[in-house]
Amino acid sequence: MTTDKTMLRVLAGETLETPPIWMMRQAGRYLPEYKATRAQAGDFLSLCYNPELAAEVTLQPIRRYGFDAAILFADILLVPQALGADVWFVTGEGPRLSTITSADDFGKLGPVADIDETLSPIYETIKILKSELPAETTLIGFAGAPWTVATYMIAGRGTPDQGPAHALMMENPAVFDALIDRITEATIHYLSAQISAGAEVVKLFDSWAGSLSGEAFLKYSLAPAKRIISALKAKHPNTPIIAFPRGGGDLNIGFAKATGADCIAIDQFTDADWAAKHVQCDGPVQGNLAPGHMVTGGQALVDEVKRIKKAFANGPHIFNLGHGITPDADPDNVQRMIDALRD
Ligand code: 1CP
């Protein structure tokens, strides 16, 4: 592959002395410029659906820090909304959705063919970004994985243990499976449209994969990821795909081979030396600094960056956090992380 984009080089299997870096949730409430643009948009969903402003907040961390990749500003809960769920955000609390607990509720969802009526502004954001991003910056599109998105659609909110989704899986498997299937089809359509609009990499966030175990993990995290990735590869063979089965632990072993993902994002609860040996042996990995270091900083931050860089130094590695940066993070610590990595 002939490209100057370090992120794409690593995703093609190259090992670089200084890994490319970007950060989950790099556009967000820890940045004063984000808060200002969000206030201008009115609320979070209006910001997501305003291509000019969504492109602006995507670019803010690139301007401030020169990250090697930009991630499209949107949310995983736009897909439920596009399928007909009610979605709103309660300030200081988080997302709220209409719930799905019966065949009747499921029956109210719309067809995948209609989702672009809601999602077309997102493709516009990507087109704006393609013309405004620096030549060396890779543009990442994304979606939530079916299980993670289903946990919000079933419970109507974020839940600590995904209890309502597990309950529906046990009590009404037909509705549960139909919901996973609908989200899977919508995700294939949505990510394919993001790639057609100009996303150079896509990432599938299975943020709650860790609450699935054994058969359920294979059926509801691995199998949908495999189906999404093989459908995308059939249409867009050259677009790399990052999978993030967060909390997967040992189940990260072989996940790339089993699903066709080009890269596995590793959370902060997974030891970097272990991941180098058992996951990076199969291909590129991304991760895995604990986001808390963006709050606490100091020498511990620098030491951790260097430890993780060293652990993954013998194979393709994209530096990132193990999960999203939190709103209480100090923007100066982000710069310290980048300096420690590029030192
Ligand atoms: O740089 C960026 O911020 C990229 C855009 C982005 C991404 C990739 C946002 C903006 N959200 C996401 C993904 C996302 N959204 C995930 C997967 C990644 C992860 O695990 O963090 C999840 C689970 C969501 C759902 C969601 N949206 C939550 C979590 C709710 C819970 O269960 O606790 C929250 C708080 C949101 C709102 C949201 N999305 C994005 C931002 C910046 C915000 C904060 C909204 C605000 O401005 O108040």
Side-chain angles (χ1 to χ4, degrees), residues 151-200:
T151 66
Y152 291 94
M153 294 181 79
I154 293 164
R157 58 193 300 161
T159 45
D161 58 0
Q162 296 72 60
H166 285 283
L168 190 68
M169 189 196 293
M170 297 304 142
E171 289 163 10
N172 200 337
V175 168
F176 183 82
D177 285 6
L179 178 61
I180 292 285
D181 195 64
R182 183 74 56 88
I183 302 167
T184 302
E185 289 298 329
T187 305
I188 291 167
H189 179 99
Y190 182 44
L191 289 178
S192 182
Q194 289 186 27
I195 296 167
S196 298
E200 297 169 287

Side-chain angles (χ1 to χ4, degrees), residues 227-243:
R227 195 167 137 205
I228 291 165
I229 292 168
S230 55
L232 292 175
K233 290 285 179 189
K235 273 184 142 181
H236 313 276
N238 299 321
T239 304
I241 301 168
I242 303 172

Side-chain angles (χ1 to χ4, degrees), residues 319-336:
F319 198 93
N320 205 303
L321 302 180
H323 198 199
I325 187 169
T326 51
D328 55 341
D330 178 350
D332 290 342
N333 286 332
V334 176
Q335 190 61 53
R336 283 182 197 112

Side-chain angles (χ1 to χ4, degrees), residues 22-29 34 38 43-44 47-48 57-58 61 71-77 89 91-95 142-144 148 152 157-159 162 205-208 244 246 323-325 327:
W22 69 281
M23 191 172 67
M24 278 188 253
R25 295 281 179 100
Q26 62 192 20
R29 282 170 296 173
Y34 169 84
R38 200 189 111 164
D43 60 45
F44 173 68
L47 177 54
C48 291
V57 292
T58 305
I71 183 158
L72 164 71
F73 190 83
D75 196 79
I76 67 164
L77 301 177
F89 280 80
T91 311
E93 287 187 33
F142 74 93
T148 288
Y152 291 94
R157 58 193 300 161
T159 45
Q162 296 72 60
F205 285 91
D206 211 349
S207 302
W208 299 117
F244 183 35
R246 187 171 80 95
H323 198 199
I325 187 169

